Amino acid sequence: MQTKKMADQQANQENTHVENTSGSAQRARLLERLQAGPIDTFTAMRELNIVRPGARINELRDMGHRIMTQRLTLTDDQGRSHRGMALYYLSTNPPAEVTA
């Protein structure tokens, strides 16, 4: 029987590049991006290579990060409109149109 290697569960700057799809690397990329400002679901998927941003957000919240969500309508890359999409931001770094 062949044994499988477990993915490295520790994220640091060297292994958080978008090619690294481990949960810890995705959380690290997303948190770093949130510290720079708000990010929406489509942007997280496209730029950070995170297939399920909502799951990573929930994990970050479970770790104690105060992440807020604003629902809005976004247009995808094919020009289709999607209602109820998420815009995530740290409670200390709200987008200009949101009052905390």
Side-chain angles (χ1 to χ4, degrees), residues 19-31:
E19 293 82 20
N20 187 336
T21 58
S22 71
S24 59
Q26 290 180 44
R27 286 188 297 275
R29 287 194 301 270
L30 187 52
L31 183 59

Side-chain angles (χ1 to χ4, degrees), residues 60-87:
L60 288 169
R61 286 176 175 151
D62 289 344
M63 296 169 71
H65 298 282
R66 297 196 60 207
I67 301 170
M68 310 303 286
T69 303
Q70 178 184 5
R71 296 292 175 178
L72 42 91
T73 300
L74 296 175
T75 303
D76 66 19
D77 294 338
Q78 289 77 35
R80 298 174 295 221
S81 183
H82 299 266
R83 291 179 45 210
M85 298 301 294
L87 176 70

Side-chain angles (χ1 to χ4, degrees), residues 6-76:
M6 293 292 292
D8 182 14
Q9 299 301 309
Q10 298 298 315
N12 60 42
Q13 289 182 334
E14 288 79 40
N15 69 2
T16 59
H17 300 286
V18 294
E19 293 82 20
N20 187 336
T21 58
S22 71
S24 59
Q26 290 180 44
R27 286 188 297 275
R29 287 194 301 270
L30 187 52
L31 183 59
E32 181 179 349
R33 178 57 178 77
L34 284 166
Q35 290 168 341
I39 187 168
D40 63 71
T41 301
F42 289 148
T43 303
M45 293 171 72
R46 184 177 54 252
E47 294 179 8
L48 302 180
N49 192 27
I50 299 174
V51 176
R52 295 183 57 222
R56 302 295 83 82
I57 290 292
N58 284 336
E59 292 164 355
L60 288 169
R61 286 176 175 151
D62 289 344
M63 296 169 71
H65 298 282
R66 297 196 60 207
I67 301 170
M68 310 303 286
T69 303
Q70 178 184 5
R71 296 292 175 178
L72 42 91
T73 300
L74 296 175
T75 303
D76 66 19

